[in-house]
Amino acid sequence: RCLTIKIYYMAKVKWALDPIHSEIQFKIRHLMISNVTGQFTKFDVSAETEDEDFLTAKISFTADVGSVATGDEQRDGHLKSPDFFDATRFPQIKFAATKYESVDNDGSYELYGDLTIRDITKKIKLDVEFGGIAKDPWGNTRAGFEINGKVNRKEFGLQWHAVTEAGGVVVSDDVRIRCAIELIKQS
């Protein structure tokens, strides 16, 4: 008798960001009555998976703090200052994925990882909706994701605060994160 052993090889697949079809946004409560929305216009995401299985992915993200944009130059300048991000000393925000969990069988996942802002690293959890994988008209394989989460800005050294005459908070501590990411499979 002969013993047959089958070896399954999982191919490493690299994925690169499609910046035209991706965005990184945040929302923060202003005066506790409305939201201010901002974004980072310069960022990068890279991933490496086994075959096309994103539960095996090694994902890294960076955002250029100097690219923060809220639609108001004065506010953007304040966000880049030492009161908030201190873009001169800490030019990048970083995230590295550490763990994934499937929430259901319909593309919902929890993504855990290390977020670094101002050289302070904290573990966070993000909710991910996997949009799927598709070929575009030019033969490229693409994968899409919607990512949402919430962080406390003060845990990352963004300590600035002010109060109104009536004692109300000008800017909340909680920041909601919303990302739409499209990746392109590399050959």
Side-chain angles (χ1 to χ4, degrees), residues 8-102:
Y8 294 97
Y9 174 73
M10 300 292 251
K12 297 284 185 198
V13 176
K14 293 188 185 243
W15 300 81
L17 177 71
D18 177 353
I20 303 300
H21 296 105
S22 301
E23 61 187 9
I24 306 296
Q25 292 184 330
F26 61 88
K27 287 187 182 289
I28 189 164
R29 300 286 291 166
H30 178 250
L31 299 175
M32 305 314 287
I33 61 169
S34 65
N35 289 304
V36 170
T37 301
Q39 64 181 332
F40 293 96
T41 60
K42 293 181 184 170
F43 58 93
D44 192 33
V45 177
S46 63
E48 183 179 278
T49 59
E50 292 181 9
D51 292 324
E52 293 180 354
D53 180 4
F54 279 91
L55 284 175
T56 67
K58 292 179 182 146
I59 298 173
S60 65
F61 161 85
T62 57
D64 179 352
V65 171
S67 75
V68 69
T70 63
D72 181 280
E73 282 186 39
Q74 185 176 355
R75 180 173 45 224
D76 296 348
H78 192 205
L79 288 172
K80 295 172 194 177
S81 79
D83 282 345
F84 285 97
F85 290 114
D86 199 352
T88 303
R89 289 183 53 213
F90 309 105
Q92 286 192 324
I93 293 172
K94 299 175 185 176
F95 175 80
T98 57
K99 179 179 158 188
Y100 311 88
E101 290 181 357
S102 181

